[in-house]
Amino acid sequence: LPTRAGSSLEPEKHSMEQPAEPEEEVPITTAPGQAGCQLFGYVGIEAVLDQMKIKTMKTGFEFNIMVVGQSGLGKSTMVNTLFKSKVSRKASQPGQEERIPKTVQLQSITHVIEERGVKMKLTVTDTPGFGDQINNENCWDPIIKYINEQYERYLREEILITRKRKIPDTRVHGCVYFIPPTGHWLRPLDLEFMRRLSKIVNVVPVIAKADTLTLEERAEFKQQIQEDLKTHAISVYPQEDFDQDPDDRVLNDRIRENIPFAVVGADQEHQVNGKRVLGRKTKWGIIEVENPTHCEFPLLRDLLIRSHLQDLKDITHNVHYESYRVRRLNESNRP
């Protein structure tokens, strides 16, 4: 008989002897921190962060924000305060009969702003005429239509056979909703708007012109708004369902405790203790918009720009746009 180590191609003959048991294959696993994952010298993997930074600084990025609220709540001033420039132009004063639009009209302004070599294509969408009518029934329909149109425009570009390397992104990444400083509770208009819009876009509610309320009124108003949102199951940004890890949950829980932010907007500088600060001058002093003891504008700015800007874009793409895409493709596949 040929031995097992032989090179004969003849089929092996079965013998009465028990075949030797094959050796068990031990799966090779490497856990983080074990010797198999340690590097014995500098490889340069961390340089990928520098590559991403350089590429982003060259190409820039896009950010689209929408402001919604009644006339006179300081929407344009607030956007100018956020980006410290005249990115939201106030409309010229028309005639008395044309001052309040008969229907909600959406106006978008796009700017390219740059800071320390980083370019951002910023699009601000205003909604004049929202909530200004005697009968405000279905006044959110033009806003919902506009948001879905931007999803549809992105979807049409995405499903092309030969598509662009970088699809222009006009989708609304964040919607800042201005609540009038009544000091009591949310109006049915506010509840219905946030209930409908929070399902398709990231809604960030703020109390406009918070300097018209005392500190006690402001705290009571915020607590009442939080209870109303919880009672009506309205999930505003940052949503609890989308927290990625425990660290994100701790940070976002701290933010959710302060929502809605009580903000004050101002685009004029004043002299305070030898420093130039943004603020509003009153008979009793100057309200500094960037002073956390005066208002919560710094919390809103940090949320929208410094800490959660990329998260706003990610949730827009992975959650809101994805649900729209699935719905549209299901509709097109139906007989």
Side-chain angles (χ1 to χ4, degrees):
L1 292 174
T3 61
R4 290 186 180 273
S7 59
S8 173
L9 298 179
E10 296 179 2
E12 298 179 358
K13 297 180 181 179
H14 296 281
S15 62
M16 299 300 293
E17 299 176 0
Q18 288 286 80
E21 295 183 358
E23 297 182 357
E24 295 183 359
E25 296 184 0
V26 181
I28 301 175
T29 58
T30 56
Q34 291 184 353
C37 294
Q38 292 180 353
L39 303 178
F40 299 102
Y42 180 73
V43 177
I45 299 174
E46 64 176 5
V48 69
L49 298 176
D50 297 330
Q51 298 172 30
M52 295 170 64
K53 180 180 178 180
I54 294 172
K55 186 175 182 180
T56 303
M57 291 180 68
K58 286 182 179 179
T59 60
F61 60 98
E62 298 159 321
F63 185 60
N64 309 316
I65 188 172
M66 174 183 283
V67 289
V68 182
Q70 287 179 273
S71 300
L73 292 181
K75 300 187 297 295
S76 300
T77 303
M78 178 57 61
V79 173
N80 292 337
T81 309
L82 274 172
F83 299 98
K84 293 187 177 181
S85 58
K86 303 290 184 180
V87 294
S88 182
R89 295 192 298 267
K90 295 183 179 179
S92 59
Q93 294 294 332
Q96 185 70 27
E97 67 278 0
E98 300 175 356
R99 186 160 300 176
I100 299 177
K102 293 182 180 180
T103 58
V104 178
Q105 302 170 358
L106 280 80
Q107 302 172 353
S108 295
I109 303 173
T110 301
H111 296 272
V112 177
I113 58 180
E114 184 175 350
E115 183 182 33
R116 297 182 181 180
V118 180
K119 295 180 181 179
M120 180 173 70
K121 184 180 179 182
L122 173 68
T123 300
V124 180
T125 304
D126 197 359
T127 56
F130 177 84
D132 294 336
Q133 312 299 323
I134 297 176
N135 182 9
N136 290 302
E137 186 178 3
N138 298 329
C139 63
W140 45 77
D141 284 348
I143 299 174
I144 294 176
K145 180 182 177 183
Y146 175 84
I147 294 174
N148 286 331
E149 283 176 352
Q150 309 317 308
Y151 290 150
E152 181 69 23
R153 180 179 299 182
Y154 194 92
L155 178 62
R156 288 178 181 273
E157 290 285 344
E158 194 177 45
I159 62 178
L160 290 176
I161 296 177
T162 56
R163 56 186 182 182
K164 302 175 183 177
R165 292 183 61 183
K166 184 179 180 182
I167 301 175
D169 190 3
T170 60
R171 299 169 296 181
V172 179
H173 301 127
C175 174
V176 182
Y177 184 72
F178 287 71
I179 301 171
T182 59
H184 298 292
W185 49 76
L186 288 176
R187 304 168 300 169
L189 174 63
D190 303 327
L191 290 169
E192 191 63 22
F193 175 86
M194 286 190 282
R195 186 184 68 82
R196 291 173 179 262
L197 267 293
S198 61
K199 298 176 182 178
I200 62 173
V201 72
N202 299 313
V203 177
V204 180
V206 298
I207 301 174
K209 294 190 173 182
D211 53 327
T212 60
L213 300 172
T214 65
L215 295 179
E216 292 78 11
E217 291 173 338
R218 182 191 302 180
E220 185 178 351
F221 190 30
K222 290 182 65 170
Q223 184 177 1
Q224 184 63 48
I225 292 174
Q226 292 173 356
E227 292 177 0
D228 288 344
L229 293 176
K230 187 178 297 183
T231 302
H232 293 83
I234 298 173
S235 179
V236 297
Y237 184 85
Q239 302 92 332
E240 293 186 20
D241 297 339
F242 305 147
D243 292 340
Q244 297 291 332
D245 52 56
D247 292 336
D248 290 344
R249 181 171 293 276
V250 171
L251 174 61
N252 291 338
D253 283 342
R254 198 179 311 127
I255 295 173
R256 283 186 281 263
E257 291 175 358
N258 294 305
I259 281 182
F261 300 124
V263 298
V264 177
D267 49 11
Q268 293 183 355
E269 289 186 341
H270 300 277
Q271 194 84 12
V272 177
N273 297 328
K275 297 181 180 179
R276 304 290 294 178
V277 297
L278 284 172
R280 295 184 65 246
K281 190 174 182 179
T282 66
K283 294 181 179 180
W284 303 274
I286 295 177
I287 302 171
E288 303 174 31
V289 299
E290 294 183 311
N291 190 336
T293 61
H294 291 192
C295 72
E296 295 176 334
F297 168 79
L299 299 179
L300 175 66
R301 179 194 57 201
D302 292 348
L303 176 70
L304 294 179
I305 301 175
R306 299 187 179 181
S307 62
H308 285 67
L309 188 148
Q310 188 58 46
D311 188 61
L312 284 164
K313 298 181 66 174
D314 291 342
I315 291 181
T316 299
H317 180 76
N318 299 325
V319 179
H320 298 304
Y321 169 70
E322 190 67 19
S323 62
Y324 177 85
R325 188 186 70 87
V326 170
R327 186 173 71 250
R328 285 286 289 115
L329 294 180
N330 284 334
E331 290 175 357
S332 62
N333 289 334
R334 288 174 186 168

